[in-house]
């Protein structure tokens, strides 16, 4: 029987008992791990598991790698919601507002500050225009309101504050909820938590799972860490794939790894040149005259931005 005919048979017949869905009007359910075979019941699926286990694991790993090694269109931070430029890779040049929990570049924060100074008006959030909280308690109340509305950014930020106060159980709960809502940085923080055994037994499997989920969503540091993990285990080809993806997103440490890989012969000349161009383009896309002005004002102490 040809591979195509075998695949067709697996799609219309139960892989265990062989019952035909077309003849017997029975709805078959796919094996959710590999999508290779179908079953008419849970009993048939359990009975067939010993024969199917090896092929299932192999195909599931292939499907996972296909998702894992896709190049994200942008970093997990995305664009500034005001100037619509990619957010800087340097986290010190980004701020999160507790009122709306939006990540905003400090170029836009500074421009808003200049406007308020010129017009002599009350200081407000550059995005939602709500008054800036005057105390830490007001900021916490804002985040609590956002958490009640299932805002993953608020959960992530509050989780970071819990962790700083060594409330690891609270951080774990908040980051878990945020990760379930698809937050990349929450996945990354969970991978770090499982790595360093904070409030939980170290679990390498969970550590790698959350690191991969963060990387899939465009988290450059998580992607770089995966590359380092693969490199330590001697899987150089997989390591370089991770470093290439991270470098394309503008990660400097991964770009250095690619340069080292090129010198060692692990990266081709063509791939090195392509990654170098992509890295430079990614970094350049985050720059603007407004952001440069904000950075200069910060250095001279002429701005309220931290």
């Amino acid at each position: 029987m040809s591979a195509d005919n075998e695949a067709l048979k697996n799609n219309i017949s139960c892989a265990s008992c062989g019952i035909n869905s077309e003849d017997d009007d029975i709805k078959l359910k796919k094996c959710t791990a590999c999508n290779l075979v179908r079953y008419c019941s849970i009993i048939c699926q359990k009975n067939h598991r010993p024969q199917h286990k090896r092929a299932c694991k192999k195909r599931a790993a292939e499907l996972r790698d296909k998702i894992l090694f896709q190049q994200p269109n942008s970093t997990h931070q995305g664009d500034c919601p005001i100037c619509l430029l990619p957010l800087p890779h340097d986290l010190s040049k980004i701020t999160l507002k507790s009122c709306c929990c939006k990540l905003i570049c400090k170029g836009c924060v500074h421009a808003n500050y200049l406007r308020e100074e010129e017009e002599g008006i009350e200081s407000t959030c550059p995005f939602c225009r709500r008054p800036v909280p005057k105390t830490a308690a007001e900021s916490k109340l804002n985040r609590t309101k956002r958490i009640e509305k299932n805002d993953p950014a608020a959960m992530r930020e509050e989780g970071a504050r819990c962790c700083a106060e060594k409330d690891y159980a609270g951080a774990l709960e908040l980051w878990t909820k945020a990760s379930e809502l698809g937050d990349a940085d929450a996945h990354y923080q969970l991978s770090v938590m499982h790595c360093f055994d904070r409030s939980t037994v170290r679990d390498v499997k969970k550590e790698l799972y959350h690191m991969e989920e963060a990387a899939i969503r465009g988290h450059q540091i998580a992607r770089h860490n995966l590359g380092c993990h693969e490199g330590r285990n001697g899987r150089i080809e997989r390591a370089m794939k991770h470093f290439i993806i991270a470098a394309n997103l503008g990660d400097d440490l991964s770009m250095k790894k690619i340069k080292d890989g090129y010198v060692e012969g692990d990266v081709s000349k063509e791939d090195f040149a392509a990654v170098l161009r992509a890295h430079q383009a990614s970094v350049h896309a985050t720059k603007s005259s407004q952001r440069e002005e904000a950075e200069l004002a910060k250095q001279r102490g002429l701005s309220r931005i931290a």
Side-chain angles (χ1 to χ4, degrees), residues 15 18 23 44 61 69 71 76 84 89 95 106 119 163 174 183 188 192 220 255 262 296 306:
D23 296 340
C44 275
F69 288 110
Q71 178 69 54
H76 67 291
L84 304 181
H89 303 132
T95 185
K106 290 189 176 178
E119 297 177 8
C163 190
L174 287 163
D183 188 84
Y188 173 70
V192 173
Q220 316 100 293
M255 189 65 240
Y262 173 63
L296 188 60

Side-chain angles (χ1 to χ4, degrees), residues 206-218:
K206 285 185 179 180
E207 175 192 344
L208 288 176
Y209 167 76
H210 286 295
M211 201 179 294
E212 287 182 356
E213 288 297 311
I216 288 168
R217 290 164 173 78

Side-chain angles (χ1 to χ4, degrees), residues 204 208 211 224-235 239 243:
V204 176
L208 288 176
M211 201 179 294
H224 176 82
N225 289 351
L226 281 175
C228 293
H229 170 76
E230 295 289 6
R232 285 193 298 269
N233 286 280
R235 296 186 284 264
F243 292 140

Side-chain angles (χ1 to χ4, degrees), residues 110-121 124 129:
H110 179 64
N112 184 59
Y113 163 69
L114 293 178
R115 180 186 64 84
E116 291 167 347
E117 287 288 299
E118 182 180 347
E119 297 177 8
I121 58 178
T124 60
R129 300 303 185 193

Side-chain angles (χ1 to χ4, degrees), residues 1-16 18 20 28 35-39 48 51-52 55:
M1 182 180 289
S2 70
D4 289 343
N5 289 335
E6 182 67 29
L8 179 62
K9 180 178 180 296
N10 287 339
N11 279 327
I12 64 175
S13 302
C14 174
S16 181
N20 191 299
L28 302 178
N35 294 329
L36 286 175
V37 295
R38 296 172 185 259
Y39 299 101
H48 191 248
Q51 300 99 294
H52 177 56

